[in-house]
Amino acid sequence: MSETDSRIQRFHTGMVPRKDGFAFWADEIGPLVGRLDSPERTDFQQELTIVDTAGLAFMRVHGSGATIERKGPSQLMGAEVYPYHLLLKLDGGLAISEQRRRIELGTGDMVLIDSWQPLRLSSTEATDSWSLGLPEALVNRWLPHADQSTDLLLAAGKGWAGMLSGYLRALDVDHLCSIQSPAERQLLGEHLMSMLSFALEQNGLVAQPGALGERVSPRDGDLHARMRAWIRDHHADTEVDAQKLAACFNVSVRYVHKVFAKAGRGMTFLETLQGDRLEAAAQMLRSAAGARKFVAQVAYDCGFADPAYFGLVFRKKYGCTPRSFALRQGPGQAEADSAVLVC
C-alpha cells in the first residue's frame, strides 16, 4: 500500500489477523523477493518501508525472522535500476549466501550485494535491517569496481565502515521521509556513497583501474554477450556507436566501455565493431556477387561511412587492398572483378 507521497511505499501485516500474516506476506511480497519462509509462520509480523531519496532506495524492514531465497535478479529493488544494494543488519544476526560464499552478519555489519545474483538470506531471530538500493549513476561515480567488492563483510567496528554503519543506524524512517529539500537529499546520498567508497578502499576491496585478473561478474558477462549479439546484427548501420548501444540497453556510455574493457578479452567496443565490419566485408568480397561491387559500396554495406578509411583498416588487417583481396579469391572471376572493383 502506498502513501500520498509517491516517494514512499509502506507494507505491513497489521491489516490482516496475526494467524494470516505469513500467507499475506508471501502473497504480497513473495513474488518480489523470492521464496519466503519463516520459523514463525503462525505468528508472523513484518513491516517494510521503502523511501526514494536522491535516487537511492532506502528499504527498512523489521519483524519476524524469515528466510528469503532468490534464484534470479532482484525484483523488489529492480536490478536494472539498482544494480547493487548495501545491506546493514541493525539488530541480531543474519546469514547471507551469495556467489557460493556464506557470510554471518552481526549487529551493525554490512555487505554489498549484486542485485543480479541469486541470493539466500536467513534470519532466525527478529528481522531488522536497512537495505540501500544503489543506482547505476552513483555506482559508476563512486564504486567503479563494485563487482569486486560484493559478498565481503564490512565489520561495524572498523574505520569508515564503522562510521557508515553508525550513520545508517542513526537514520530514522520518519525523518528520512520528511526531507523535502532536493539539496539535502542530494547531500545525504553523497555522504553515504563517499563513506561506502572510503570503507571499501580502507578494507582493500577495490581493485585499481586496469589491474590484471579483474573478475568479470556474471551480470557484466551476460550483458557483454548480449551487446556482442546486437553488434553482429547491426554493424552494417553506419550510425552505430557507443551512445546508440547504450540507449538500446538502457545503460550509460561509460558503462558500455566498462563492460567491454572487463569482459571483452582485450577488445574495446570500437575494436569489436570494426572487427565485425571487416569480417563482413571480407566475407562479401569472397563471394562472386560481392566481389563485383565497387569497394565503396562494400564499405557502405558493411557499415563504413568513409571508403578511404575502410581501405586503410582493411589493408592493415588483411595485408592487401580490398580489390586485391577479391582478386585472390578465385582465378575464374579475376578479369571480371578487375574490371569493376576500384580502390
Side-chain angles (χ1 to χ4, degrees):
M1 92 189 200
S2 299
E3 299 287 338
T4 302
D5 190 334
S6 61
R7 297 182 303 116
I8 305 168
Q9 299 179 72
R10 295 186 190 273
F11 307 87
H12 61 87
T13 55
M15 58 195 308
V16 299
R18 294 179 71 126
K19 64 181 180 64
D20 299 325
F22 180 80
F24 168 79
W25 207 244
D27 290 340
E28 187 80 3
I29 303 299
L32 300 176
V33 301
R35 190 170 68 85
L36 183 67
D37 201 356
S38 173
E40 304 175 49
R41 282 193 174 210
T42 58
D43 188 20
F44 184 86
Q45 301 176 71
Q46 268 199 12
E47 182 174 351
L48 166 66
T49 303
I50 303 175
V51 184
D52 183 355
T53 298
L56 291 164
F58 292 79
M59 183 176 76
R60 174 68 190 277
V61 57
H62 63 91
S64 302
T67 297
I68 295 172
E69 188 167 3
R70 190 183 76 217
K71 297 295 187 181
S74 171
Q75 301 298 320
L76 181 61
M77 288 188 172
E80 297 83 0
V81 180
Y82 305 106
Y84 297 91
H85 60 278
L86 179 68
L87 178 66
L88 164 69
K89 183 61 176 172
L90 289 167
D91 193 17
L94 175 69
I96 176 172
S97 300
E98 184 188 28
Q99 299 182 19
R100 299 182 182 179
R101 178 172 180 181
R102 178 182 169 89
I103 305 170
E104 299 283 347
L105 273 70
T107 300
D109 292 343
M110 299 172 293
V111 64
L112 188 66
I113 297 173
D114 188 333
S115 302
W116 291 84
Q117 294 301 310
L119 177 71
R120 190 177 191 278
L121 293 172
S122 180
S123 179
T124 55
E125 305 172 1
T127 297
D128 194 1
S129 64
W130 274 114
S131 186
L132 274 64
L134 309 180
E136 183 179 327
L138 287 180
V139 171
N140 288 343
R141 178 180 175 187
W142 289 103
L143 311 174
H145 297 280
D147 63 303
Q148 298 174 58
S149 306
T150 58
D151 70 9
L152 293 165
L153 180 67
L154 289 173
K158 295 184 178 180
W160 282 104
M163 293 186 65
L164 177 57
S165 175
Y167 193 104
L168 290 171
R169 291 168 70 186
L171 275 182
D172 177 80
V173 169
D174 292 333
H175 175 67
L176 187 62
C177 294
S178 71
I179 300 175
Q180 298 298 320
S181 167
E184 290 182 9
R185 295 177 190 169
Q186 186 70 29
L187 187 60
L188 175 63
E190 295 292 315
H191 279 166
L192 292 171
M193 294 302 295
S194 62
M195 282 191 283
L196 177 56
S197 175
F198 294 152
L200 293 174
E201 291 178 359
Q202 192 172 59
N203 282 272
L205 306 181
V206 179
Q208 296 301 314
L212 296 177
E214 292 187 64
R215 179 171 62 85
V216 179
S217 69
R219 176 173 63 91
D220 284 348
D222 175 70
L223 183 58
H224 178 262
R226 290 189 290 121
M227 286 181 171
R228 282 293 291 114
W230 189 91
I231 291 172
R232 281 191 290 269
D233 291 339
H234 296 84
H235 68 265
D237 181 355
T238 58
E239 296 183 358
V240 165
D241 57 16
Q243 186 171 358
K244 195 167 185 177
L245 181 62
C248 179
F249 286 87
N250 196 30
V251 298
S252 66
V253 172
R254 178 182 177 184
Y255 199 73
V256 167
H257 292 304
K258 175 183 174 181
V259 167
F260 276 85
K262 297 179 69 174
R265 300 182 182 276
M267 293 283 287
T268 67
F269 161 74
L270 290 176
E271 290 170 340
T272 301
L273 176 61
Q274 181 173 288
D276 281 4
R277 285 171 170 171
L278 286 172
E279 289 180 13
Q283 184 175 353
M284 186 176 294
L285 291 170
R286 289 189 184 102
S287 68
R292 290 189 174 89
K293 292 183 178 181
F294 287 100
V295 169
Q297 187 60 54
V298 173
Y300 295 135
D301 288 348
C302 295
F304 290 96
D306 184 349
Y309 177 72
F310 165 63
L312 180 67
V313 296
F314 189 95
R315 182 167 187 168
K316 183 177 181 180
K317 179 171 182 177
Y318 292 100
C320 63
T321 66
R323 176 177 180 271
S324 298
F325 183 88
L327 291 173
R328 294 176 182 176
Q329 302 311 304
Q333 62 187 44
E335 292 184 3
D337 293 341
S338 178
V340 297
L341 280 168
V342 294
C343 294

